[in-house]
Amino acid sequence: MAGRPREFDDDQVVQAAMDAFWRNGFEATSAQALVESTGLGRGSLYAAFGNKENLYHQALSRYHAFSIDFHREIFAAGGTVKDRLRQLLEKGSEIDLSNIERNGCMAIFSSLERNAKDATVEALSRAYITRLEGMFVTLFAEGIAAGEFSAERNAEAMAKAFMCGYFGIRVFGRMVHDESYLRHAIDALLNGL
């Protein structure tokens, strides 16, 4: 005899859990907060996802996919490589400044909070960064091929250096919460390319 069919959509539950984890981080998101955000009882939640860690891993994977799509959309837009990088930096800063109730970029803060404690989060984070780095390398290679950057430049080195600056600006945005400060940092980063 088969069990009762599920009366909820896994994707919607993972999305709701992602929002809760994004707002509060892993540690500060209680089981009760997950119950309230997903609309499921504890029994249903844990029967479907096993435990809080498993649900967090699925939520983080969802966030990473969302982030990859966000970057892909900007990178596919027209304009110079620098124009697209400026758009990325400005949109990222805008998101960080407008969503103060969230912890900024979940990809960054999940790593800071969980990498040393959770091997799965560390593996997911490494896979995300590797994939994102590949996208940046392709973008910088396009700029080199178009003559926007010197032919002597190395797309991989440019991608790594830019990502450090980009994620640094995202973290600083949460710390200083000052639009003009971020605007100056964005200009300096782009002028250094």
Side-chain angles (χ1 to χ4, degrees):
M1 181 173 183
R4 258 179 48 192
R6 286 191 183 179
E7 296 176 7
F8 59 87
D9 182 318
D10 283 4
D11 286 340
Q12 289 176 347
V13 172
V14 172
Q15 180 68 40
M18 183 190 83
D19 288 339
F21 287 128
W22 192 359
R23 273 191 312 276
N24 304 309
F26 177 82
E27 297 295 341
T29 302
S30 66
Q32 185 58 36
L34 290 170
V35 164
E36 290 170 8
S37 68
T38 63
L40 294 181
R42 282 185 200 207
S44 296
L45 195 59
Y46 289 115
F49 297 98
N51 58 34
K52 180 179 168 182
E53 287 83 3
N54 288 341
L55 182 55
Y56 185 75
H57 299 153
Q58 289 188 41
L60 182 57
S61 293
R62 175 177 288 266
Y63 183 88
H64 286 160
F66 163 78
S67 178
I68 292 293
D69 288 344
F70 171 79
H71 287 83
R72 183 180 293 120
E73 183 178 317
I74 291 172
F75 291 176
T80 66
V81 169
K82 277 191 178 182
D83 288 341
R84 288 177 270 171
L85 292 173
R86 177 174 295 281
Q87 184 180 9
L88 174 67
L89 289 159
E90 289 176 349
K91 280 190 174 186
S93 294
E94 181 183 318
I95 289 167
D96 291 340
L97 292 173
S98 66
N99 287 324
I100 196 65
E101 72 281 356
R102 289 187 173 154
N103 276 327
C105 175
M106 187 176 172
I108 295 170
F109 290 97
S110 65
S111 293
L112 295 174
E113 181 185 27
R114 300 292 305 160
N115 271 16
K117 303 171 187 171
D118 186 329
T120 301
V121 169
E122 184 177 14
L124 289 170
S125 297
R126 284 183 188 271
Y128 165 75
I129 289 298
T130 298
R131 190 165 176 204
L132 193 58
E133 183 182 317
M135 294 169 67
F136 275 103
V137 169
T138 299
L139 186 67
F140 280 109
E142 177 187 328
I144 292 168
E148 188 176 346
F149 306 115
S150 165
E152 287 83 41
R153 300 291 299 272
N154 177 288
E156 185 177 344
M158 291 180 78
K160 287 179 180 184
F162 184 84
M163 287 176 69
C164 288
Y166 168 54
F167 285 115
I169 286 172
R170 299 291 303 266
V171 171
F172 254 75
R174 301 301 294 180
M175 293 170 63
V176 300
H177 206 73
D178 180 341
E179 188 177 341
S180 71
Y181 185 100
L182 296 179
R183 212 172 24 253
H184 286 98
I186 288 169
D187 289 344
L189 181 59
L190 292 172
N191 289 338
L193 292 176

